[in-house]
Amino acid sequence: MASLQHQRKRARSLGCAVVKRFDQGGISAQSVRALFLTSAFVQFLRFDVVAEDAQRGTVSLRLPFDHRYTIVSDLGHYHGGVIAAFVDIAASMCCVMATGTPTPTVDLRIDYLRSPRNVDLIADAKMWKAGRSIATADVVIRDADGITYALGRGAFSVSNSKASMFPTLPAEQEGTR
């Protein structure tokens, strides 16, 4: 395994600055957004980042309705797995922004309150606590009219020792040299 110093040098050679952990001065929301939006799975879901605040540990995402997210296309009801994935991504994203470290899912709970049908969904996520090894975030899945469809809570590991290896966008690099 390469040393941290070697990994940082490699990241810089690829045009990426190294982001500091939150406790060393934070991680930019722009960097986290770029990291998540390069994921093939996230690209499949096609969500938009509506708002984010790294200091407060909050993020809001919008998932445009797509018939591919349903079980029976003519009915237009979302598959529960799509909603669960949306909750997981929103919760993880706000934890990454707040802690500056990778946050693999440890536990995820979803309460489905009603079935959304033919509507764009919004995920409002907030990290409530980050300890030495676990961060916890809550997510509300709603539509633009404020109707709540699901509530989720996730626990995420924040004890990854490679936390400083998140790449930033090249435009952010100038301020780090």
Side-chain angles (χ1 to χ4, degrees):
M1 177 167 255
S3 71
L4 182 59
Q5 188 174 34
H6 175 74
Q7 291 170 343
R8 288 178 182 208
K9 185 176 180 180
R10 175 79 175 130
R12 285 190 185 101
S13 74
L14 295 172
C16 301
V18 177
V19 173
K20 298 176 186 174
R21 288 177 57 103
F22 182 70
D23 58 3
Q24 297 172 330
I27 183 172
S28 79
Q30 187 179 14
S31 296
V32 174
R33 181 189 296 224
L35 181 71
F36 274 80
L37 294 179
T38 59
S39 160
F41 183 67
V42 170
Q43 289 174 4
F44 166 75
L45 288 178
R46 301 181 310 116
F47 69 77
D48 303 314
V49 178
V50 177
E52 74 270 316
D53 186 333
Q55 297 300 318
R56 297 172 79 188
T58 61
V59 67
S60 290
L61 308 175
R62 186 179 71 82
L63 180 65
F65 176 75
D66 189 318
H67 284 284
R68 293 179 294 175
Y69 304 154
T70 66
I71 294 175
V72 179
S73 184
D74 293 340
L75 296 179
H77 293 277
Y78 277 83
H79 184 285
V82 172
I83 294 171
F86 195 39
V87 167
D88 187 37
I89 290 167
S92 178
M93 190 172 184
C94 73
C95 288
V96 169
M97 281 193 299
T99 65
T101 185
T103 57
T105 306
V106 173
D107 186 45
L108 188 66
R109 176 189 163 81
I110 314 290
D111 290 324
Y112 298 96
L113 306 177
R114 57 177 57 100
S115 181
R117 183 175 178 199
N118 296 320
V119 64
D120 294 354
L121 296 178
I122 298 169
D124 295 318
K126 177 171 180 45
M127 186 188 76
W128 287 106
K129 183 177 180 184
R132 278 181 274 176
S133 58
I134 300 289
T136 303
D138 286 343
V139 181
V140 175
I141 301 293
R142 63 177 177 85
D143 64 16
D145 294 330
I147 298 171
T148 301
Y149 296 99
L151 302 172
R153 173 166 282 176
F156 303 88
S157 174
V158 293
S159 59
N160 190 324
S161 63
K162 296 179 185 173
S164 62
M165 290 310 297
F166 280 102
T168 60
L169 298 175
E172 294 179 309
Q173 186 172 337
E174 282 116 38
T176 62
R177 290 184 185 184

